[in-house]
Amino acid sequence: MATHNYNEVDILYTLMSYVNVSSSQDMYYTIAHTILTHLEKIPDISINDLADLCYTSPATISRFCKDLNCKNFASFKHEMAISLEIARDEIRVDPHDYTEIIKQPQYLVDKMYQETIASLQLVHQSINIHSIDQICHMIYNAKKVHMIGYQFNKIISNDFQMKMLKLKKFVYAFVERGDEIQRLDMIDEDSLVIIITVRARKQFMAPLLEKIHEHNPQILLITMNKEFQNDLIDFTYCIDGTESDYTESSMQGTINFLSLLNLIYVRYGLLYRK
């Protein structure tokens, strides 16, 4: 699958994050859990019926939707409908591959790992160590570093955050949908904002960059989209790599980014360890 077709911002992932990090006594946990366990009902459900299902009020459902960075319940349902439509065709292989997998399941193992290795080789070949050093220099000089990632890139950001802490460099990692907007007051002219995105969709990136730029930080974009450009970005680092064509979820892209951040982490440690 071409990188530009990858549906990166997924509301289902965000709902799961509520379930994973919230207390079971939290009303937002209850709402998220109820939605995720009644997915087949959500496209046609009314706000009143969902409120009844969650034993809460329509007003609370509305606040929950806004906390998800949706304008209202209708906007939330629209995003859910898109995600569920994509999920209906989540795993698919062409007829030839399917026949081979049925005959010999090991074919699937070989196919997936060969593709992953090939994609990592492309990343390897595209690495510019001077650019890696520039990124490390930007991180070292910034008084505050903020990372913004989506879906699996949130986990990658958290992993990078913990590793950098061992090198005595504190990094903020926004982990909730909308955090990058709601917590802009943490960002200032002494900050470096690192945005990690496979696709770098223009319609999504433009408003985000404008809001961040109001606080005058340095902005670093790490992406696989070589066509994306924006004058508000101080430094863009693009990596090569491929993405699978048999699922809507990122497969190789997440591993590519993890390998890149691991390289930045080790290089930073060698350059600036205390």
Side-chain angles (χ1 to χ4, degrees):
M1 179 177 67
T3 301
H4 65 271
N5 287 329
Y6 168 47
N7 182 51
E8 190 163 29
V9 181
D10 187 351
I11 198 166
L12 294 176
Y13 183 95
T14 306
L15 289 168
M16 281 303 305
S17 71
Y18 274 96
V19 173
N20 290 339
V21 305
S22 301
S23 165
S24 61
Q25 306 302 313
D26 189 315
M27 177 50 68
Y28 281 4
Y29 169 95
T30 300
I31 297 172
H33 184 269
T34 301
I35 292 169
L36 291 171
T37 53
H38 295 81
L39 286 176
E40 72 286 352
K41 295 182 178 180
I42 301 305
D44 301 314
I45 202 168
S46 69
I47 190 170
N48 290 325
D49 287 343
L50 180 58
D52 290 342
L53 201 60
C54 298
Y55 301 100
T56 189
S57 67
T60 301
I61 299 295
S62 292
R63 287 194 293 272
F64 176 76
C65 293
K66 290 179 180 177
D67 199 64
L68 288 173
N69 211 27
C70 295
K71 292 181 179 179
N72 48 42
F73 183 66
S75 175
F76 164 75
K77 284 184 58 176
H78 177 69
E79 289 203 34
M80 283 294 296
I82 294 173
S83 291
L84 292 174
E85 180 61 31
I86 291 171
R88 288 190 182 96
D89 195 30
E90 175 63 16
I91 303 296
R92 60 190 182 277
V93 293
D94 64 45
H96 169 74
D97 284 340
Y98 183 75
T99 300
E100 293 299 318
I101 291 168
I102 294 299
K103 289 194 301 185
Q104 177 51 263
Q106 182 65 32
Y107 180 90
L108 175 62
V109 178
D110 296 340
K111 173 182 173 64
M112 291 187 63
Y113 278 90
Q114 287 168 2
E115 288 182 359
T116 299
I117 292 169
S119 186
L120 280 172
Q121 287 175 334
L122 289 174
V123 176
H124 179 198
Q125 294 165 7
S126 70
I127 293 294
N128 182 322
I129 191 60
H130 300 296
S131 295
I132 298 299
D133 286 353
Q134 184 176 347
I135 291 172
C136 291
H137 184 69
M138 293 173 73
I139 293 172
Y140 179 77
N141 284 334
K143 291 184 179 179
K144 290 186 287 187
V145 179
H146 307 266
M147 295 189 72
I148 298 173
Y150 300 94
Q151 290 197 349
F152 189 77
N153 290 332
K154 292 178 185 287
I155 301 173
I156 293 176
S157 296
N158 289 152
D159 178 69
F160 186 74
Q161 177 188 44
M162 290 301 299
K163 287 174 178 173
M164 292 300 292
L165 189 61
K166 297 174 185 178
L167 300 178
K168 299 180 176 59
K169 184 67 177 185
F170 184 82
V171 175
Y172 294 94
F174 296 123
V175 297
E176 298 296 336
R177 178 185 173 96
D179 267 1
E180 68 279 2
I181 301 299
Q182 297 169 12
R183 297 168 62 186
L184 282 177
D185 58 330
M186 298 174 60
I187 299 172
D188 57 29
E189 60 185 9
D190 294 321
S191 298
L192 168 66
V193 177
I194 304 174
I195 304 173
I196 305 173
T197 168
V198 172
R199 180 177 175 181
R201 297 184 301 174
K202 184 177 181 180
Q203 67 271 32
F204 178 78
M205 290 293 297
L208 173 62
L209 289 168
E210 288 174 5
K211 287 182 178 295
I212 292 174
H213 184 68
E214 292 174 1
H215 297 258
N216 299 312
Q218 274 196 304
I219 301 176
L220 163 65
L221 173 66
I222 300 177
T223 185
M224 290 175 65
N225 183 355
K226 294 185 176 182
E227 297 177 359
F228 180 81
Q229 294 182 346
N230 189 296
D231 291 338
L232 300 181
I233 298 173
D234 294 281
F235 185 56
T236 298
Y237 188 73
C238 292
I239 59 172
D240 285 336
T242 58
E243 191 53 276
S244 61
D245 60 0
Y246 46 84
T247 173
E248 290 297 332
S249 297
S250 176
M251 304 285 280
Q252 283 84 50
T254 55
I255 297 174
N256 293 343
F257 279 12
L258 178 60
S259 70
L260 177 66
L261 287 180
N262 281 338
L263 173 62
I264 293 172
Y265 160 68
V266 174
R267 183 60 173 167
Y268 183 96
L270 292 173
L271 290 174
Y272 300 109
R273 59 186 171 186
K274 298 178 181 178

